[in-house]
Amino acid sequence: MLSSWIVFLVFAVLVKGVNGQMTISSTPLVANVYEEERSRISLTDIVCTHTADITVFLQSVSPTTLCATCFAVYKIAPSINFQLFYLPSQGNLSYALVPIYDITVTCTDGAGTSLSTTINVRVRTNEPPRFNTFSATVTNINAKTTKNGAVIYIETGVTEPDGDAVFYNMTVQPASSASKYEIGLTDGVVRATADLSSECFPTLVFFIYVHDSRNVIVGPKVITVQFSDYYQVPYIPGVNKDVTVSEDLPINSIIHDIQAVSDPVATYTIDTSPSIAAFIFEVNTAATSTLRLRSKLDYESGVRNINVTIQPSNGFCAPDTFFLYVKVTDANDPPVISPRDVVTVQYEGPFTYDAGFTFVDEDPGDTGTYSIIGGNAANLFYIDSASGIITCLDYDVDVAGAATTVVLMIQVEDVKDKGKDNTTVTINFLDKNDNPPVITGPPSGLYQVQVEDCFPAGTYLTKIFAADGVDTAFNNNNVVQCNPSTTGVLFVLPACDVILNGSIPAGTVETIYVTASDKGTFPGPLTSSSVPVLVSSILCTITTTATTTVPSTTTPVPTTTTTPATTVPGLDGLVPASAVNGDNGTGNMPWIVSACILGCIGIAAAAFFISRYIAPRCRGSSSPRFNAGPSQNTQPGPPDNKQVQFRGNNRQSPKRNNVKPVTPREVQPYEAYKDDQRGPNLQQKNVWRGMGTQPDKSFEL
């Protein structure tokens, strides 16, 4: 039993010794740090193995020179191990003074078990990159054709002993070309950032520098670019000197030849000192480029010495500047008129215009007079010789061929030397509303309309024709409308339509006076003379039934009495006046009463005749004796005591004396008779005048 316990204790001690053993991996530990390092970095992991949780701490640093507190042990996520860190903010490293630091660290489980090791930290120096050669020449670049993005040079001669990444930069000489090139930060490729056509020097130089992340830049390496072809800065031979001219030199005279040597042909920019003389000169490039006089020189003004700078440009190169120093000498001076080239706007008609003309004569005591020397062929314009005020008695743009723009040439002439100067006055004429509208009559010369006394209110009577054929459309001068007016029974619309507003008694004439106005705004609308419109009234057209005597008996025979139709002006004569509206009978009551009495007598006689003579013959028949179809054209015999032919308009029933006239859309005069080859004879046999399907052309009663 005792032996068993001894065995158990020995086993437990052995097991505890095995399971509780603490180890540090990868020993001995060695780390490197650059003496130029300026950032906190991890030097190495400290991997302690143990069954319990452990903590690692820095035990000691040896030696402590310069950097006693530059090292620390941390466990920073996401790392699962403790690490040795270098802290540059706590000191400085120097390979020359302390090349090696021994850092002792200890792992402990907090229960008395610990294990220590020493980390050998070696201080290293970092060597900068270096160029293998310090110069190179490029000769295959054509500046005229090289475009943006083209590769000019590639730097490949750099060595980095430590294998660090290297970085490039460069400068350019001349500095004016610096914006046209760039070097890749990491690849050392020099590229054009613009078209090189503006490189106007035979050579340029790149100064290339290189560095790593730890050392200062190294260089420069000098790269000389010799362009195989390029544009050259234009230059002007024979200038940069004094030139003397007289103040009376005529305008457009050549001051000096300034032809530049340039490829391509140059354009020119000039400037003057003093700047107020800039308008005096111009460059003419018609053949040989010359500096010419653009306006008059004036010795008395004090501008006597003028420095003219000239810059020729070929469009590629930055231009050089050349000069001519112009000295002005004195001469007799003509007057100078102002203002120049005046423009004014006037309405047609008479007007007076003061352009404010003045003139300056540098000769003391000289005076001048104004005159019109051009643009006044019709002599419509006058100018006061002393004041320069222009007058016109009348200008009419409405006359055929009249111009709406007149340019007058005004001259001032001095008395002493007969010196002259001139300017222009451009007058733009506007159309004034100076012609009223005109109401033109119909071919008959007078607006006359005939209506029937039964026409209702709202009936269209005629249209008035008004226009302004003289004025233009400017400001609505020729836009015309009638002035609305009324007499009570007649009224006029703005569209110039004359409308019936009430009944006009038959036999009377109603007159309305019509005027038209335009819409001109200056000096205002104008109104035409008034024109009368005469509207006469007649009785309504009616249809009546008469009685015809047949031998041996009295039989009502329908006849039609028609008042001659009058046409309404404005409807092209196609619609009779009686067809404009239906007859309401109020103006024809005596006729209606008479027709009713005669109709009753006729009906009684017809009934007697039928019952006495015809009914016995038809007794026993089941249907009337009509001939079917329009193809049966038998003609009935002459009427006798037993048979009569019906000749009237079939729509005129013998039971109606007052028949409402048809409207203009129900029947047209021509359409009513166009199928009857014998003409509009109301008593002609076999003619159908009604509406609907035409009945048999012959029938018996």
Side-chain angles (χ1 to χ4, degrees), residues 25 88 123 181 186 282 403 433 554:
S25 302
V123 179
Y181 306 92
T186 59
E282 66 180 0
N433 189 27
T554 301

mmCIF file of all heavy atoms in Angstrom, residues 25 88 123 181 186 282 403 433 554:
data_model
loop_
_atom_site.group_PDB
_atom_site.id
_atom_site.type_symbol
_atom_site.label_atom_id
_atom_site.label_comp_id
_atom_site.label_asym_id
_atom_site.label_seq_id
_atom_site.Cartn_x
_atom_site.Cartn_y
_atom_site.Cartn_z
ATOM 1 N N SER A 25 9.942 30.489 -28.072
ATOM 2 C CA SER A 25 10.244 29.981 -29.414
ATOM 3 C C SER A 25 11.277 30.852 -30.109
ATOM 4 O O SER A 25 11.423 32.049 -29.827
ATOM 5 C CB SER A 25 8.957 29.940 -30.259
ATOM 6 O OG SER A 25 7.987 29.129 -29.648
ATOM 7 N N PRO A 88 11.055 55.727 -31.550
ATOM 8 C CA PRO A 88 12.050 56.755 -31.897
ATOM 9 C C PRO A 88 11.862 58.045 -31.118
ATOM 10 O O PRO A 88 12.807 58.836 -30.996
ATOM 11 C CB PRO A 88 11.836 56.965 -33.394
ATOM 12 C CG PRO A 88 10.428 56.541 -33.643
ATOM 13 C CD PRO A 88 10.157 55.430 -32.687
ATOM 14 N N VAL A 123 21.797 47.845 -34.740
ATOM 15 C CA VAL A 123 21.566 49.140 -35.395
ATOM 16 C C VAL A 123 22.240 49.120 -36.759
ATOM 17 O O VAL A 123 23.439 48.819 -36.854
ATOM 18 C CB VAL A 123 22.106 50.293 -34.538
ATOM 19 C CG1 VAL A 123 21.885 51.627 -35.254
ATOM 20 C CG2 VAL A 123 21.450 50.291 -33.176
ATOM 21 N N TYR A 181 6.477 68.978 -69.047
ATOM 22 C CA TYR A 181 7.076 67.665 -68.807
ATOM 23 C C TYR A 181 6.803 67.236 -67.362
ATOM 24 O O TYR A 181 6.621 68.064 -66.470
ATOM 25 C CB TYR A 181 8.591 67.693 -69.046
ATOM 26 C CG TYR A 181 8.974 68.233 -70.405
ATOM 27 C CD1 TYR A 181 9.244 69.590 -70.587
ATOM 28 C CD2 TYR A 181 9.049 67.390 -71.512
ATOM 29 C CE1 TYR A 181 9.575 70.095 -71.825
ATOM 30 C CE2 TYR A 181 9.384 67.894 -72.757
ATOM 31 C CZ TYR A 181 9.646 69.241 -72.914
ATOM 32 O OH TYR A 181 9.969 69.733 -74.149
ATOM 33 N N THR A 186 7.673 56.855 -59.403
ATOM 34 C CA THR A 186 8.308 55.577 -59.044
ATOM 35 C C THR A 186 8.991 54.885 -60.211
ATOM 36 O O THR A 186 9.793 53.980 -59.989
ATOM 37 C CB THR A 186 7.250 54.619 -58.467
ATOM 38 O OG1 THR A 186 6.219 54.406 -59.437
ATOM 39 C CG2 THR A 186 6.642 55.188 -57.193
ATOM 40 N N GLU A 282 -1.688 100.788 -87.099
ATOM 41 C CA GLU A 282 -2.178 99.440 -87.345
ATOM 42 C C GLU A 282 -1.169 98.704 -88.208
ATOM 43 O O GLU A 282 -0.325 99.318 -88.873
ATOM 44 C CB GLU A 282 -3.541 99.460 -88.037
ATOM 45 C CG GLU A 282 -3.521 100.040 -89.448
ATOM 46 C CD GLU A 282 -4.894 100.036 -90.106
ATOM 47 O OE1 GLU A 282 -5.837 99.575 -89.434
ATOM 48 O OE2 GLU A 282 -5.011 100.478 -91.256
ATOM 49 N N ALA A 403 -36.298 104.926 -99.341
ATOM 50 C CA ALA A 403 -35.395 104.174 -98.463
ATOM 51 C C ALA A 403 -35.755 104.457 -97.008
ATOM 52 O O ALA A 403 -36.176 105.557 -96.657
ATOM 53 C CB ALA A 403 -33.946 104.572 -98.728
ATOM 54 N N ASN A 433 -47.677 106.358 -88.284
ATOM 55 C CA ASN A 433 -49.069 106.060 -88.633
ATOM 56 C C ASN A 433 -49.719 107.345 -89.137
ATOM 57 O O ASN A 433 -50.405 108.065 -88.400
ATOM 58 C CB ASN A 433 -49.815 105.503 -87.413
ATOM 59 C CG ASN A 433 -51.190 104.990 -87.784
ATOM 60 O OD1 ASN A 433 -51.427 104.589 -88.913
ATOM 61 N ND2 ASN A 433 -52.105 105.025 -86.833
ATOM 62 N N THR A 554 -116.631 73.484 -110.420
ATOM 63 C CA THR A 554 -115.567 74.353 -109.872
ATOM 64 C C THR A 554 -114.597 73.499 -109.070
ATOM 65 O O THR A 554 -114.977 72.878 -108.089
ATOM 66 C CB THR A 554 -116.152 75.423 -108.967
ATOM 67 O OG1 THR A 554 -117.062 76.195 -109.731
ATOM 68 C CG2 THR A 554 -115.054 76.335 -108.412
#
